[in-house]
């Protein structure tokens, strides 16, 4: 399976990063979103991040210009369909993802491979709602995509070997490293990471430590580059809660019960960096703990 053209659905935090790395690797990219404003913001951010790579001498101005020229944007899913590979990077809600794949179906080439960047939703279940479950995989990038080296490859129960091998080759062409995971809730990274973040929120909720002391303890005591509460803010507390709910519902184990404080922050709209407030307040020059 030769893959040279890529359609990406969703121009948010993950979608723009995925478009960035594919364009740099030489793929022709069609980036789609329902919002033209989101598409304009995504291209501006890609431009800014590429400029940073030029400043660090990771690429030349000519490389940057060529990468940007490979990215085309659209608000029409019909323009996304006729690509070799499609990566769905929409919000972490299964009904939305299913609707996207249903809307794409009439526009797909017979050989098009479908993938989802979902961080926790069943690949088998998503694939079963398409006309090509054998050519469907989980393709989970880490955030921020241009920086993080890992891509989780998740095979659904129907995924065939040529599709898996094609995705292995794509990851290699991107210059990243793949980790193969079975299709169980949370896969590998979030199955381990999210309960740690959730436990940090419980530690705060129960008054064992403050935001500052919890994050400092993991940075200095466990050599983590970022504290778990700061990381939760970076990921988005709504995303963390959604993944914990998938783990709790899918594995039926009380150890995955989302902390009530995490739920409360999401209910308040305190979702982390993207809203300016989560476990830290980001409105000033330096983030300030909110508890």
């Amino acid at each position: 399976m030769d893959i040279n053209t890529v359609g990406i659905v969703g121009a948010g935090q993950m979608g723009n990063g995925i478009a960035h790395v594919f364009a740099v690797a030489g793929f022709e990219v069609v980036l789609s979103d329902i919002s033209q404003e989101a598409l304009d913001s995504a291209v501006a951010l890609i431009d800014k991040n590429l400029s940073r790579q030029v400043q660090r001498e990771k690429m030349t101005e000519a490389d940057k210009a060529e990468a940007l020229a490979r990215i085309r944007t659209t608000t029409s899913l019909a323009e996304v369909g006729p690509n070799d590979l499609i990566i769905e990077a929409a919000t972490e809600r299964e009904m939305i993802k299913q609707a996207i794949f249903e809307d794409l179906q009439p526009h797909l080439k017979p050989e098009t491979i479908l993938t989802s960047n979902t961080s926790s939703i069943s690949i088998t279940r998503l694939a079963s709602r398409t006309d090509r479950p054998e050519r469907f995989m989980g393709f989970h990038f880490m955030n921020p995509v241009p920086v993080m080296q890992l891509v989780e490859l998740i095979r659904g129960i129907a995924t065939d070997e040529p599709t898996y091998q094609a995705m292995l080759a794509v990851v290699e062409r991107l210059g990243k490293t793949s980790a193969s995971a079975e299709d169980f809730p949370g896969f590998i990274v979030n199955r381990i990471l999210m309960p740690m973040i959730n436990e940090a929120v419980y530690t705060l909720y129960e008054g064992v430590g403050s935001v500052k002391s919890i994050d400092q303890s993991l940075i200095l005591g466990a050599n983590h580059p970022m504290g778990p509460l700061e990381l939760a803010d970076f990921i988005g507390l709504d995303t963390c809660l959604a993944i914990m709910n998938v783990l709790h519902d899918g594995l039926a184990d009380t150890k995955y019960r989302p902390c009530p404080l995490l739920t409360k922050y999401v209910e308040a709209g305190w979702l982390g960096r993207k809203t300016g407030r989560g476990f830290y307040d980001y409105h000033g020059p330096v983030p300030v703990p909110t508890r």
Side-chain angles (χ1 to χ4, degrees), residues 5-291:
T5 64
V6 182
I8 299 165
V9 183
Q13 192 175 38
M14 297 303 294
N16 77 70
I18 295 169
H20 174 139
V21 298
F22 270 90
V24 169
F27 293 87
E28 294 296 323
V29 177
V30 179
L31 179 60
S32 161
D33 201 281
I34 55 172
S35 161
Q36 185 60 50
E37 185 181 350
L39 289 168
D40 293 342
S41 296
V43 172
L45 184 56
I46 293 168
D47 191 326
K48 179 182 174 184
N49 289 337
L50 288 170
S51 294
R52 191 175 292 132
Q53 289 183 288
V54 172
Q55 289 167 4
R56 293 175 180 168
E57 298 183 349
K58 298 283 181 70
M59 64 168 55
T60 65
E61 281 287 356
D63 293 334
K64 175 191 165 183
E66 287 173 11
L68 282 173
R70 292 188 193 105
I71 300 173
R72 183 164 61 86
T73 63
T74 181
T75 55
S76 168
L77 280 181
E79 293 184 43
V80 178
N83 282 287
D84 302 329
L85 168 66
I86 291 173
I87 304 166
E88 172 276 313
T91 188
E92 193 71 354
R93 288 174 58 191
E94 188 166 348
M95 285 181 65
I96 291 174
K97 295 178 184 296
Q98 287 176 348
I100 287 168
F101 288 120
E102 285 170 12
D103 290 346
L104 278 167
Q105 192 160 305
H107 311 290
L108 301 175
K109 298 190 296 183
E111 66 273 18
T112 298
I113 293 175
L114 297 177
T115 67
S116 175
N117 184 55
T118 180
S119 50
S120 59
I121 296 169
S122 167
I123 298 304
T124 298
R125 198 162 60 237
L126 285 175
S128 73
R129 300 292 293 272
T130 74
D131 67 340
R132 60 196 68 207
E134 71 284 357
R135 287 194 295 281
F136 193 109
M137 279 195 69
F139 204 37
H140 182 215
F141 289 82
M142 307 297 125
N143 186 34
V145 181
V147 175
M148 301 296 280
Q149 287 300 302
L150 185 74
V151 181
E152 279 184 312
L153 294 180
I154 306 100
R155 299 171 75 155
I157 197 167
T159 306
D160 65 22
E161 186 64 21
T163 298
Y164 174 67
Q165 292 298 328
M167 290 300 94
L168 279 176
V170 168
V171 174
E172 188 174 337
R173 185 170 163 187
L174 293 175
K176 294 189 181 292
T177 301
S178 61
S180 296
E182 293 299 316
D183 185 23
F184 290 99
F187 316 133
I188 294 172
V189 173
N190 284 317
R191 174 76 177 265
I192 297 166
L193 176 64
M194 285 302 158
M196 183 198 76
I197 287 175
N198 195 50
E199 194 62 29
V201 183
Y202 266 115
T203 305
L204 178 66
Y205 176 61
E206 294 169 4
V208 178
S210 65
V211 169
K212 183 179 178 182
S213 62
I214 291 166
D215 277 354
Q216 277 189 337
S217 294
L218 270 293
I219 291 168
L220 301 177
N223 205 28
H224 289 194
M226 186 185 293
L229 301 176
E230 184 186 0
L231 179 57
D233 275 359
F234 182 75
I235 294 167
L237 304 193
D238 52 339
T239 301
C240 294
L241 179 59
I243 296 169
M244 285 309 303
N245 280 325
V246 166
L247 289 171
H248 191 227
D249 294 344
L251 297 168
D253 193 323
T254 55
K255 73 181 180 180
Y256 300 113
R257 183 172 69 97
C259 178
L261 183 61
L262 178 60
T263 302
K264 195 61 66 181
Y265 268 58
V266 172
E267 288 174 346
W270 292 14
L271 307 183
R273 283 182 179 269
K274 62 186 172 186
T275 58
R277 181 176 292 166
F279 292 111
Y280 293 84
D281 189 310
Y282 298 93
H283 290 101
V286 177
V288 178
T290 53
R291 289 177 82 86

